[in-house]
Amino acid sequence: MEIAFLLIGLALGGAGMFFLMKPADDLDPEKPRELLKNAEKEAQHVREDNREKIKAMQRALEAEEKSMEESFEKMESVIGQKEEILNRKEERNKAAQTSKETLDGELKRLAEEEKKLTENTVGELSKRSGLTREKALEEARRELEALVTTNAEWRKKSALEELEEDAPRHAKAILQVVIQRLGVESSVDKNHTGVIVKDDKFKGLLVGKGGVNIEYLESLLPVSIIFNLGDTATIHVGGVNLLRRNIAKKAIEKMQTWVKKKGSLDHEMIKQAVDESEKEIMALCDKKGAESIKLMGLDPAKTPPELVNYVGRLYFRTSYGQNVTGHSNEMGFAARLIADFIGTDPQIAMQAAFYHDIGKAIDHDVGGAHDDLSKEILEKFNYDPRIVHAAWVHHDKGPCENPEDF
């Protein structure tokens, strides 16, 4: 038994000596240097990252400081304007007090004159002045008119200043009532141009060998077809022109149905799908345009068909997250209500507001500023110059000449 333990001890000792006496060549002398080098790189990266963060914080602080300075300047400007208004009111009050004292004196004098005139007949006045009775009365009327018109210019200026000061308050009150009465649906755009793919095989056919099919489809509209953007089961259609994106969406839906039956896809099928989809979308534009025009109390049958289509195209146009058809309807209703309040032409105001963004129906296709295009379209269809001008100047392209322009 002791011999067995001795043999085991010798074996373990021999193994230990083997590992202790292992050649140093098996250790990598460059490894510590590499670790140190990597640590230095990481430290440099951290330093650079911190420097960028510090710079970003400095820029943010500078921007905040600049914003606060601008806010203070605006506050000082507003305070200055209010002080000016108060000074003008004070001046008017002083002038009004002076005018009141003057008028009181004049009234007193006139009362005395009236008493004297009562005591004397018109004949006596005529005799003393050497005038006939009619001439004497005419002279008295002139003196009275001069008295009444005294300080007329000052009173006119005071009335205008008060109107300018009170106008914002009245405008807010009118807008508050209009917004409460408006009650239209939200104009936030809800158009979505994603297509649910029911069979992954369709994706491959749509792309085509070497991407020939997808390139051909994108060249026809043009749009961007995006695969596997978050949801792998959805093909997204991208691009600036929402109208063409919806044409592409409908075309892809058609192709997916056809591929399920035929099992293949070629350029002829793609072209057919796009042509049919464009006709269907344009028919929908005609329908949406007629609905929107009718909503404004206008007759679609008396509206040029091309203009009806343009109005409908705005259903596939957005601006700042709003659907432009919804926005145009809102503006038409609001303009008509405001016009009724302020006593200007409600039809001119309503149509100008309704058509003010009509240029957005074609700006992605032809280019140019949408307000200039709106002017060209309305002039093309011989709309009232007041409607044309009011629609055109909604971005201050020209001077406001009539109440409807505002």
mmCIF file of all heavy atoms in Angstrom, residues 214-225 237-248 274 278 364-365:
data_model
loop_
_atom_site.group_PDB
_atom_site.id
_atom_site.type_symbol
_atom_site.label_atom_id
_atom_site.label_comp_id
_atom_site.label_asym_id
_atom_site.label_seq_id
_atom_site.Cartn_x
_atom_site.Cartn_y
_atom_site.Cartn_z
ATOM 1 N N ILE A 214 -37.047 44.868 -61.052
ATOM 2 C CA ILE A 214 -37.238 45.972 -60.108
ATOM 3 C C ILE A 214 -36.722 47.282 -60.685
ATOM 4 O O ILE A 214 -37.300 48.358 -60.479
ATOM 5 C CB ILE A 214 -36.568 45.641 -58.743
ATOM 6 C CG1 ILE A 214 -37.177 46.504 -57.631
ATOM 7 C CG2 ILE A 214 -35.073 45.815 -58.790
ATOM 8 C CD1 ILE A 214 -38.592 46.157 -57.301
ATOM 9 N N GLU A 215 -35.623 47.213 -61.439
ATOM 10 C CA GLU A 215 -35.082 48.420 -62.081
ATOM 11 C C GLU A 215 -36.065 48.952 -63.119
ATOM 12 O O GLU A 215 -36.253 50.164 -63.249
ATOM 13 C CB GLU A 215 -33.738 48.109 -62.734
ATOM 14 C CG GLU A 215 -32.601 47.909 -61.737
ATOM 15 C CD GLU A 215 -31.290 47.573 -62.414
ATOM 16 O OE1 GLU A 215 -31.260 47.542 -63.674
ATOM 17 O OE2 GLU A 215 -30.299 47.329 -61.709
ATOM 18 N N TYR A 216 -36.702 48.056 -63.869
ATOM 19 C CA TYR A 216 -37.672 48.474 -64.885
ATOM 20 C C TYR A 216 -38.888 49.133 -64.229
ATOM 21 O O TYR A 216 -39.354 50.190 -64.680
ATOM 22 C CB TYR A 216 -38.102 47.265 -65.700
ATOM 23 C CG TYR A 216 -39.088 47.587 -66.792
ATOM 24 C CD1 TYR A 216 -38.759 48.448 -67.834
ATOM 25 C CD2 TYR A 216 -40.366 47.038 -66.781
ATOM 26 C CE1 TYR A 216 -39.669 48.748 -68.839
ATOM 27 C CE2 TYR A 216 -41.290 47.327 -67.770
ATOM 28 C CZ TYR A 216 -40.934 48.191 -68.806
ATOM 29 O OH TYR A 216 -41.836 48.497 -69.782
ATOM 30 N N LEU A 217 -39.397 48.528 -63.151
ATOM 31 C CA LEU A 217 -40.543 49.097 -62.440
ATOM 32 C C LEU A 217 -40.210 50.484 -61.897
ATOM 33 O O LEU A 217 -40.998 51.427 -62.049
ATOM 34 C CB LEU A 217 -40.957 48.172 -61.294
ATOM 35 C CG LEU A 217 -42.049 48.703 -60.344
ATOM 36 C CD1 LEU A 217 -43.327 49.002 -61.106
ATOM 37 C CD2 LEU A 217 -42.311 47.703 -59.221
ATOM 38 N N GLU A 218 -39.032 50.634 -61.271
ATOM 39 C CA GLU A 218 -38.644 51.926 -60.700
ATOM 40 C C GLU A 218 -38.445 52.979 -61.784
ATOM 41 O O GLU A 218 -38.664 54.168 -61.536
ATOM 42 C CB GLU A 218 -37.355 51.760 -59.882
ATOM 43 C CG GLU A 218 -37.568 50.988 -58.598
ATOM 44 C CD GLU A 218 -36.286 50.793 -57.800
ATOM 45 O OE1 GLU A 218 -35.187 50.903 -58.399
ATOM 46 O OE2 GLU A 218 -36.358 50.534 -56.588
ATOM 47 N N SER A 219 -38.054 52.556 -62.983
ATOM 48 C CA SER A 219 -37.833 53.526 -64.065
ATOM 49 C C SER A 219 -39.139 54.030 -64.663
ATOM 50 O O SER A 219 -39.190 55.110 -65.243
ATOM 51 C CB SER A 219 -36.982 52.892 -65.166
ATOM 52 O OG SER A 219 -37.713 51.891 -65.868
ATOM 53 N N LEU A 220 -40.220 53.266 -64.534
ATOM 54 C CA LEU A 220 -41.498 53.664 -65.133
ATOM 55 C C LEU A 220 -42.165 54.791 -64.375
ATOM 56 O O LEU A 220 -42.915 55.586 -64.948
ATOM 57 C CB LEU A 220 -42.447 52.455 -65.182
ATOM 58 C CG LEU A 220 -42.084 51.339 -66.171
ATOM 59 C CD1 LEU A 220 -43.057 50.179 -66.027
ATOM 60 C CD2 LEU A 220 -42.100 51.856 -67.609
ATOM 61 N N LEU A 221 -41.911 54.920 -63.059
ATOM 62 C CA LEU A 221 -42.738 55.857 -62.286
ATOM 63 C C LEU A 221 -42.122 57.218 -61.983
ATOM 64 O O LEU A 221 -42.814 58.231 -62.259
ATOM 65 C CB LEU A 221 -43.220 55.139 -61.029
ATOM 66 C CG LEU A 221 -44.299 54.084 -61.373
ATOM 67 C CD1 LEU A 221 -44.540 53.129 -60.243
ATOM 68 C CD2 LEU A 221 -45.574 54.778 -61.771
ATOM 69 N N PRO A 222 -40.958 57.489 -61.494
ATOM 70 C CA PRO A 222 -40.013 56.610 -60.804
ATOM 71 C C PRO A 222 -40.281 56.627 -59.291
ATOM 72 O O PRO A 222 -40.738 57.620 -58.740
ATOM 73 C CB PRO A 222 -38.679 57.257 -61.105
ATOM 74 C CG PRO A 222 -38.999 58.709 -61.184
ATOM 75 C CD PRO A 222 -40.404 58.829 -61.706
ATOM 76 N N VAL A 223 -39.952 55.498 -58.663
ATOM 77 C CA VAL A 223 -40.063 55.359 -57.211
ATOM 78 C C VAL A 223 -38.905 54.490 -56.734
ATOM 79 O O VAL A 223 -38.117 54.012 -57.532
ATOM 80 C CB VAL A 223 -41.409 54.702 -56.809
ATOM 81 C CG1 VAL A 223 -42.582 55.615 -57.087
ATOM 82 C CG2 VAL A 223 -41.577 53.362 -57.520
ATOM 83 N N SER A 224 -38.827 54.274 -55.413
ATOM 84 C CA SER A 224 -37.830 53.364 -54.854
ATOM 85 C C SER A 224 -38.571 52.232 -54.146
ATOM 86 O O SER A 224 -39.400 52.486 -53.274
ATOM 87 C CB SER A 224 -36.923 54.097 -53.853
ATOM 88 O OG SER A 224 -36.199 55.119 -54.495
ATOM 89 N N ILE A 225 -38.266 50.987 -54.541
ATOM 90 C CA ILE A 225 -38.883 49.822 -53.905
ATOM 91 C C ILE A 225 -37.919 49.308 -52.845
ATOM 92 O O ILE A 225 -36.765 49.002 -53.136
ATOM 93 C CB ILE A 225 -39.178 48.714 -54.937
ATOM 94 C CG1 ILE A 225 -39.948 49.300 -56.145
ATOM 95 C CG2 ILE A 225 -39.963 47.586 -54.292
ATOM 96 C CD1 ILE A 225 -41.271 49.932 -55.793
ATOM 97 N N VAL A 237 -42.850 51.246 -50.634
ATOM 98 C CA VAL A 237 -42.628 52.073 -51.820
ATOM 99 C C VAL A 237 -42.227 53.466 -51.349
ATOM 100 O O VAL A 237 -42.992 54.136 -50.656
ATOM 101 C CB VAL A 237 -43.883 52.156 -52.705
ATOM 102 C CG1 VAL A 237 -43.589 52.973 -53.964
ATOM 103 C CG2 VAL A 237 -44.375 50.763 -53.069
ATOM 104 N N GLY A 238 -41.022 53.899 -51.706
ATOM 105 C CA GLY A 238 -40.523 55.200 -51.275
ATOM 106 C C GLY A 238 -40.433 56.186 -52.424
ATOM 107 O O GLY A 238 -40.513 55.820 -53.598
ATOM 108 N N GLY A 239 -40.286 57.458 -52.069
ATOM 109 C CA GLY A 239 -40.174 58.508 -53.083
ATOM 110 C C GLY A 239 -40.868 59.767 -52.633
ATOM 111 O O GLY A 239 -41.694 59.753 -51.713
ATOM 112 N N VAL A 240 -40.560 60.872 -53.288
ATOM 113 C CA VAL A 240 -41.144 62.164 -52.928
ATOM 114 C C VAL A 240 -42.592 62.269 -53.379
ATOM 115 O O VAL A 240 -43.442 62.820 -52.688
ATOM 116 C CB VAL A 240 -40.303 63.308 -53.544
ATOM 117 C CG1 VAL A 240 -40.972 64.654 -53.299
ATOM 118 C CG2 VAL A 240 -38.897 63.306 -52.982
ATOM 119 N N ASN A 241 -42.883 61.723 -54.559
ATOM 120 C CA ASN A 241 -44.201 61.873 -55.169
ATOM 121 C C ASN A 241 -45.154 60.807 -54.643
ATOM 122 O O ASN A 241 -45.092 59.642 -55.040
ATOM 123 C CB ASN A 241 -44.073 61.784 -56.690
ATOM 124 C CG ASN A 241 -45.334 62.246 -57.403
ATOM 125 O OD1 ASN A 241 -46.438 61.967 -56.966
ATOM 126 N ND2 ASN A 241 -45.156 62.946 -58.507
ATOM 127 N N LEU A 242 -46.049 61.195 -53.722
ATOM 128 C CA LEU A 242 -46.970 60.241 -53.103
ATOM 129 C C LEU A 242 -47.958 59.672 -54.113
ATOM 130 O O LEU A 242 -48.390 58.514 -53.986
ATOM 131 C CB LEU A 242 -47.721 60.923 -51.960
ATOM 132 C CG LEU A 242 -48.645 60.036 -51.112
ATOM 133 C CD1 LEU A 242 -47.872 58.900 -50.471
ATOM 134 C CD2 LEU A 242 -49.359 60.862 -50.048
ATOM 135 N N LEU A 243 -48.328 60.445 -55.130
ATOM 136 C CA LEU A 243 -49.241 59.960 -56.164
ATOM 137 C C LEU A 243 -48.623 58.764 -56.886
ATOM 138 O O LEU A 243 -49.256 57.724 -57.043
ATOM 139 C CB LEU A 243 -49.551 61.086 -57.154
ATOM 140 C CG LEU A 243 -50.447 60.707 -58.341
ATOM 141 C CD1 LEU A 243 -51.866 60.429 -57.869
ATOM 142 C CD2 LEU A 243 -50.453 61.813 -59.386
ATOM 143 N N ARG A 244 -47.368 58.905 -57.305
ATOM 144 C CA ARG A 244 -46.694 57.822 -58.027
ATOM 145 C C ARG A 244 -46.396 56.644 -57.097
ATOM 146 O O ARG A 244 -46.376 55.488 -57.531
ATOM 147 C CB ARG A 244 -45.418 58.348 -58.682
ATOM 148 C CG ARG A 244 -45.713 59.436 -59.706
ATOM 149 C CD ARG A 244 -44.592 59.629 -60.706
ATOM 150 N NE ARG A 244 -44.967 60.623 -61.711
ATOM 151 C CZ ARG A 244 -45.720 60.363 -62.767
ATOM 152 N NH1 ARG A 244 -46.185 59.135 -62.953
ATOM 153 N NH2 ARG A 244 -46.016 61.297 -63.633
ATOM 154 N N ARG A 245 -46.171 56.927 -55.839
ATOM 155 C CA ARG A 245 -45.972 55.835 -54.878
ATOM 156 C C ARG A 245 -47.237 54.979 -54.773
ATOM 157 O O ARG A 245 -47.162 53.747 -54.677
ATOM 158 C CB ARG A 245 -45.602 56.400 -53.515
ATOM 159 C CG ARG A 245 -44.151 56.846 -53.410
ATOM 160 C CD ARG A 245 -43.916 57.713 -52.179
ATOM 161 N NE ARG A 245 -44.353 57.079 -50.949
ATOM 162 C CZ ARG A 245 -44.484 57.735 -49.802
ATOM 163 N NH1 ARG A 245 -44.224 59.035 -49.744
ATOM 164 N NH2 ARG A 245 -44.866 57.094 -48.716
ATOM 165 N N ASN A 246 -48.416 55.624 -54.800
ATOM 166 C CA ASN A 246 -49.667 54.864 -54.732
ATOM 167 C C ASN A 246 -49.932 54.096 -56.015
ATOM 168 O O ASN A 246 -50.521 53.015 -55.981
ATOM 169 C CB ASN A 246 -50.828 55.805 -54.412
ATOM 170 C CG ASN A 246 -50.983 56.059 -52.927
ATOM 171 O OD1 ASN A 246 -51.650 55.309 -52.224
ATOM 172 N ND2 ASN A 246 -50.328 57.103 -52.435
ATOM 173 N N ILE A 247 -49.522 54.654 -57.148
ATOM 174 C CA ILE A 247 -49.624 53.908 -58.415
ATOM 175 C C ILE A 247 -48.759 52.651 -58.343
ATOM 176 O O ILE A 247 -49.184 51.553 -58.718
ATOM 177 C CB ILE A 247 -49.209 54.793 -59.603
ATOM 178 C CG1 ILE A 247 -50.207 55.946 -59.785
ATOM 179 C CG2 ILE A 247 -49.128 53.966 -60.894
ATOM 180 C CD1 ILE A 247 -49.782 56.986 -60.813
ATOM 181 N N ALA A 248 -47.525 52.819 -57.838
ATOM 182 C CA ALA A 248 -46.616 51.686 -57.704
ATOM 183 C C ALA A 248 -47.171 50.644 -56.736
ATOM 184 O O ALA A 248 -47.079 49.434 -56.972
ATOM 185 C CB ALA A 248 -45.249 52.169 -57.239
ATOM 186 N N VAL A 274 -48.640 48.763 -64.266
ATOM 187 C CA VAL A 274 -48.451 50.195 -64.018
ATOM 188 C C VAL A 274 -49.497 51.011 -64.774
ATOM 189 O O VAL A 274 -50.100 51.941 -64.208
ATOM 190 C CB VAL A 274 -47.027 50.632 -64.412
ATOM 191 C CG1 VAL A 274 -46.906 52.153 -64.405
ATOM 192 C CG2 VAL A 274 -45.990 50.028 -63.466
ATOM 193 N N GLU A 278 -52.300 53.315 -62.953
ATOM 194 C CA GLU A 278 -52.332 54.766 -63.162
ATOM 195 C C GLU A 278 -53.729 55.230 -63.556
ATOM 196 O O GLU A 278 -54.220 56.253 -63.068
ATOM 197 C CB GLU A 278 -51.321 55.165 -64.232
ATOM 198 C CG GLU A 278 -51.209 56.670 -64.408
ATOM 199 C CD GLU A 278 -50.028 57.088 -65.261
ATOM 200 O OE1 GLU A 278 -49.327 56.203 -65.784
ATOM 201 O OE2 GLU A 278 -49.817 58.304 -65.406
ATOM 202 N N HIS A 364 -44.356 68.506 -58.142
ATOM 203 C CA HIS A 364 -43.361 67.436 -58.178
ATOM 204 C C HIS A 364 -43.096 66.957 -59.602
ATOM 205 O O HIS A 364 -42.055 66.366 -59.879
ATOM 206 C CB HIS A 364 -43.820 66.255 -57.331
ATOM 207 C CG HIS A 364 -43.698 66.512 -55.861
ATOM 208 N ND1 HIS A 364 -44.328 65.742 -54.915
ATOM 209 C CD2 HIS A 364 -43.022 67.468 -55.171
ATOM 210 C CE1 HIS A 364 -44.042 66.197 -53.699
ATOM 211 N NE2 HIS A 364 -43.260 67.252 -53.833
ATOM 212 N N ASP A 365 -44.040 67.224 -60.511
ATOM 213 C CA ASP A 365 -43.879 66.794 -61.909
ATOM 214 C C ASP A 365 -43.225 67.866 -62.771
ATOM 215 O O ASP A 365 -42.373 67.553 -63.614
ATOM 216 C CB ASP A 365 -45.236 66.425 -62.511
ATOM 217 C CG ASP A 365 -45.857 65.207 -61.842
ATOM 218 O OD1 ASP A 365 -45.093 64.281 -61.501
ATOM 219 O OD2 ASP A 365 -47.082 65.184 -61.664
#
